[in-house]
Every structure is written in C-alpha cells, then in structure tokens.
Amino acid sequence: MAQRPMREVILDEATELFARFGYGGTSLNHIAAGVGIKRPSLLHHFPSKDALYGEVFERMLSDWLERVEATMKSPGRGWERFSAVLVSGFELFCENPSYVRLMRREAIEGGERLGIDLVGVVAPFFEAAVNWLEEEVVAGHFRKVDARQVLVTAYATLLGYVSDAPFLNGLLVDDALAPEMLLARRDHLLDMFRRTLVADPDPSLTSLGA
Amino acid sequence: MAQRPMREVILDEATELFARFGYGGTSLNHIAAGVGIKRPSLLHHFPSKDALYGEVFERMLSDWLERVEATMKSPGRGWERFSAVLVSGFELFCENPSYVRLMRREAIEGGERLGIDLVGVVAPFFEAAVNWLEEEVVAGHFRKVDARQVLVTAYATLLGYVSDAPFLNGLLVDDALAPEMLLARRDHLLDMFRRTLVADPDPSLTSLGA
DNA sequence: ATCTCTACCTACTGGTTGGTAGGTAGGTAT
DNA sequence: ATACCTACCTACCAACCAGTAGGTAGAGAT
C-alpha cells in the first residue's frame, strides 16, 4: 500500500463519481463512503462541495495542459506532426476516461461552473492549433480544409469514443476500452484524418505505420 | 395561443431541464415552476419523477425511430444513400438539441436507467447499418473500411457538435447552431466521409452538390 | 340539483442534502 | 507533562427533496 494522502484519495473518488453521476447526482455522503470516512471528515479536507468540485476540475485541467503543452512542442511537420499529436491525445483520453466524461458533462452544460472558464483555458490551445493547421495548408502540406472544422471533428471523435464507452460497450459487444479495440479505433481515426488532410493518395507514404 | 395539453407542456419542459441539468440536477419543483404550476399538480399528471423521466425518454426514442425508419427506406446506393442518411440525421439532431444532450447523458452513464434499454433499442438499427455498409464494400461501392468504426465516427461527430454546442459557442466565436455554421459543419462532415468511403478521388462525381 | 371528473391547490410526511458545533484519539514539539 | 495539531467522529441544523392527503373550483352529464 502506498498510503497516499487522504486529500488525493478524496479527489480521485470525487472525480470518478462526478464523472459518472454528475454534480447534482453525486452527494458528499456518497464520496465520503467511497473512501471510508464520514461526510464531516471529508469537509475537514475541503470547505464545501463547490470547492471540492472546483479542485477536481482544476486538477484535471492542469494535468491535461501539462501534457498538451509537451505534445505541442513535438517536432515534425504536416501529417507526421498532426498524427503524432492525434495519437498522443487519443492515448491521453484513453488513460483518463473519468476526465473525459467530466469534460463532456461541462461541455454539455456550457462549461463555466463556479467561475472556472473552461473556454478561456482551452481557447488559446485551440487557436494555436488552428493557426498551425492554416499555415500548413498555405505551405502546401495539407489540402485546403477548414481548420476549425477539422479540429472540432478531432475533438468530437476523440472525446466521443471514450466518454460514451459505457454505451458503446453495449453496441460493439466487446469492451470498448480494451487495448485491441483502442488500436483499431486509433488506426481508423488516423486513416480518416489522413484522407481528409493529405492530398497524396498513396497511404504507404504518409501513414504512421509505414 | 395554441393551448397545448398540459401533459405535453410538462414533457417539453422536463426534456429541456433533464437535458440541461441531468436527472439528479433537476427537481420536480423546478419543472413545475417552469410550466407555472405546483409540484403536486405535476404529480397529478405523472405518478413519479422516474415515470416522468421514462416518458420523456420514450417520447424521444419514438420520435427518432419514426424518422430514422423513414430515412432508412430511402432509395439509392453507395455514397448517394449514405450522404442522404447522414444529412437527414444531422438535420434531425440540429432540430432537437435537447434530445441530443439527453441521449449523450445516457450514453455517458451507461444507457439503461429505469429499465429502458437504450442499447437494445439502438442496436438493431446499428446492425442494419453495419450490414448495409459491409454489403456496399463487397459490391465495390465503398473502399474496404471497418463498417463499425465508420458508424461510430458518424455517431460521435453528429452528436458531438450538437451536444457540446454550449461549449463550442465559446470556442467558435459565433452561435454554433446558426444556419450558416450548420451548413459549413454539414459540408465538412460530408467531405470527410466521402474521402473515407469513396475510392474515386474526383469530388465532382460523388459529392452531394454535384 | 346532484353527481362525477379534471386540474389544480395548501399542508404535511419522512428522508436526504450540504454544512456546523463540539468532542476525542493519537502523534509531535517543547 | 503539557500544549498543540491533525484527522476523524457523533449529533445536530435548516433547507430541500419526492411523494401523499385532503380539499376546492369549474365543467359536463344525468
């Protein structure tokens, strides 16, 4: 046993429950019971439910932005770089399904609870990606595409598969988050975006696996 | 004033609120106040909160299945038919953003609340679509693609744009559900799926607008 | 005139919510 | 030894929840 600090244990449990049942559907009793303490003891570590939710959300954002910034610095141009970022983002999402579901819930409801401005945090990265894509189009590395549309599609496909995994588990028979399913999903998305972005019709020259 | 029956008015309001705030985040008081009556009067029309949610969900499903069945009977083959169904589905989703958000919430949580088996209802249509796509591949109308992957992507992209519109409103500056934005989105999706499915590289021969 | 039905109401119940008050066991510092 | 801190507890509170009991105003039918 690693004996993690109780604060972290509570944050983990809260993240999981907020992601599964939403803010209104999760009670402090529920969270406290999940980590084996009583509600007042939980409120000893966090001043209120709102504050706990806020910390859960800020931790998720800082976790992600750290990794996203690292990925954005990756070298390469054109498809090579786009696919690398896509794969990295896909892996990031798959490793943190609770984060993805939490994010999706916020996106559905508008995204600014408790003063946390989700759009304000994400927008700079989104705009940077738009600029890069548009430059690559001008440079002739990509077909003439609407950068924003492509990125919204990437967002929807990456988030969608993970956030809706409980539903897709029913449709696709197997465990949607099993490694072989994830690989198949990843390759399909790569193929789709390559066909959308790259003018060169020869897959062997541009695919990741070549 | 059309003087719609109170039952329908309540169902509309409940659909909207359940979609926006989720089941746990919506109280009967909230719904009742929204239609101008008290909670006990609402419980005169529906026996319980669960029953109300159940009716909201069943109405959504029957509304959709009706239109989906009609669309599935559409004539045509290959890309012509695929694009027609895609456009029809996209329009259906855009016209009912509350339904889309409600559906997405269920998908995140697993999809079987109150005995309603969402997967059981959707699966037959999904399998029919898979079969059709695979037959079209064999017939040479489409490239060799993984039918399930393509359909999951269609699901994710169509649902994602509408369900997350409140969030995308912030990212994309304008109103994400405005007519011109919807058209741009639709055309982008058509272009992407055409490039994924159709071997013929000439857009003028296969695009919808040709 | 009375009976019945619908659609609403006020007033209440038992249970749960987020949050507070106050107490205690155990470790640490002086 | 004693003072202090952390991490937990029980007991309580007001507010809110879903749901029930019982009453009323009005419309229609007999």
Side-chain angles (χ1 to χ4, degrees):
Chain A
M1 283 295 192
Q3 267 285 22
R4 305 185 59 214
M6 180 55 76
R7 255 188 84 89
E8 290 295 312
V9 175
I10 293 172
L11 280 172
D12 288 347
E13 181 73 13
T15 301
E16 172 72 19
L17 293 181
F18 282 140
R20 281 181 60 187
F21 305 111
Y23 184 86
T26 304
S27 77
L28 293 185
N29 275 325
H30 199 167
I31 300 169
V35 300
I37 61 175
K38 301 290 181 178
R39 182 179 69 258
S41 307
L42 189 154
L43 287 164
H44 164 75
H45 296 276
F46 300 91
S48 70
K49 187 183 183 183
D50 282 6
L52 173 58
Y53 185 85
E55 284 215 35
V56 162
F57 212 80
E58 282 179 16
R59 193 179 65 147
M60 174 189 78
L61 282 180
S62 64
D63 273 16
W64 277 14
L65 294 188
E66 197 180 328
R67 287 191 57 169
V68 169
E69 279 183 346
T71 307
M72 299 272 267
K73 286 179 191 158
S74 69
R77 285 190 181 183
W79 174 248
E80 187 189 351
R81 184 159 185 234
F82 185 91
S83 61
V85 173
L86 195 86
V87 166
S88 176
F90 190 63
E91 283 172 1
L92 176 59
F93 285 6
C94 294
E95 288 166 18
N96 305 281
S98 287
Y99 282 1
V100 174
R101 287 191 254 278
L102 199 61
M103 172 93 173
R104 175 71 84 178
R105 282 186 184 278
E106 281 298 315
I108 292 175
E109 293 181 19
E112 42 178 315
R113 215 202 287 258
L114 316 171
I116 303 171
D117 182 10
L118 182 56
V119 171
V121 176
V122 175
F125 294 90
F126 185 78
E127 287 306 316
V130 168
N131 286 336
W132 178 78
L133 245 177
E134 288 178 343
E135 284 167 15
E136 293 290 314
V137 168
V138 171
H141 297 141
F142 288 147
R143 287 183 45 250
K144 281 187 185 172
V145 291
D146 183 327
R148 283 188 164 74
Q149 294 292 346
V150 171
L151 289 170
V152 168
T153 302
Y155 160 86
T157 49
L158 263 56
L159 241 76
Y161 188 75
V162 179
S163 76
D164 297 11
F167 171 64
L168 295 175
N169 276 343
L171 270 190
L172 305 175
V173 184
D174 270 274
D175 175 13
L177 295 183
E180 72 273 16
M181 289 295 287
L182 291 180
L183 276 182
R185 183 70 196 149
R186 196 195 69 175
D187 289 345
H188 166 75
L189 291 180
L190 280 173
D191 182 66
M192 252 192 49
F193 281 106
R194 187 173 50 73
R195 294 198 120 79
T196 301
L197 288 172
V198 180
D200 181 354
D202 182 355
S204 67
L205 296 178
T206 49
S207 87
L208 189 78
Chain B
M1 284 296 192
Q3 267 286 23
R4 305 186 58 215
M6 180 55 76
R7 256 188 82 89
E8 290 295 312
V9 176
I10 292 173
L11 281 173
D12 288 347
E13 181 72 13
T15 301
E16 172 71 19
L17 293 182
F18 282 140
R20 281 181 60 188
F21 305 111
Y23 184 86
T26 304
S27 76
L28 294 184
N29 275 326
H30 199 169
I31 299 169
V35 301
I37 61 175
K38 302 289 183 179
R39 183 180 67 258
S41 306
L42 189 153
L43 287 164
H44 165 76
H45 295 277
F46 300 89
S48 71
K49 187 183 181 182
D50 282 6
L52 172 58
Y53 185 84
E55 285 215 34
V56 163
F57 212 80
E58 282 179 15
R59 192 180 64 149
M60 175 189 79
L61 283 180
S62 66
D63 273 16
W64 278 13
L65 295 188
E66 196 179 330
R67 287 192 55 172
V68 169
E69 278 184 344
T71 307
M72 299 272 268
K73 287 179 190 157
S74 69
R77 285 191 179 182
W79 174 249
E80 186 189 352
R81 186 160 182 231
F82 185 92
S83 62
V85 173
L86 194 86
V87 166
S88 177
F90 190 64
E91 283 172 1
L92 175 57
F93 284 7
C94 295
E95 287 165 19
N96 305 281
S98 287
Y99 281 1
V100 173
R101 287 191 252 279
L102 199 60
M103 173 91 174
R104 175 70 86 177
R105 281 185 185 279
E106 282 297 316
I108 291 176
E109 292 181 20
E112 42 178 315
R113 215 201 287 260
L114 315 172
I116 303 171
D117 182 10
L118 182 56
V119 171
V121 176
V122 175
F125 293 90
F126 185 77
E127 287 305 317
V130 168
N131 287 334
W132 178 77
L133 246 177
E134 288 178 344
E135 285 167 14
E136 291 291 315
V137 168
V138 171
H141 297 139
F142 288 147
R143 286 183 45 251
K144 282 186 185 173
V145 291
D146 183 329
R148 284 187 162 75
Q149 293 291 346
V150 171
L151 289 170
V152 168
T153 302
Y155 160 86
T157 50
L158 263 56
L159 241 75
Y161 188 76
V162 178
S163 74
D164 298 9
F167 171 63
L168 295 175
N169 276 344
L171 271 190
L172 305 176
V173 184
D174 271 275
D175 175 14
L177 295 182
E180 71 273 15
M181 290 294 286
L182 291 179
L183 277 182
R185 183 72 196 150
R186 195 196 70 175
D187 289 345
H188 165 75
L189 291 179
L190 281 173
D191 182 65
M192 254 194 44
F193 282 106
R194 187 174 50 73
R195 295 197 119 79
T196 301
L197 289 173
V198 181
D200 182 356
D202 183 355
S204 66
L205 296 178
T206 49
S207 85
L208 188 79

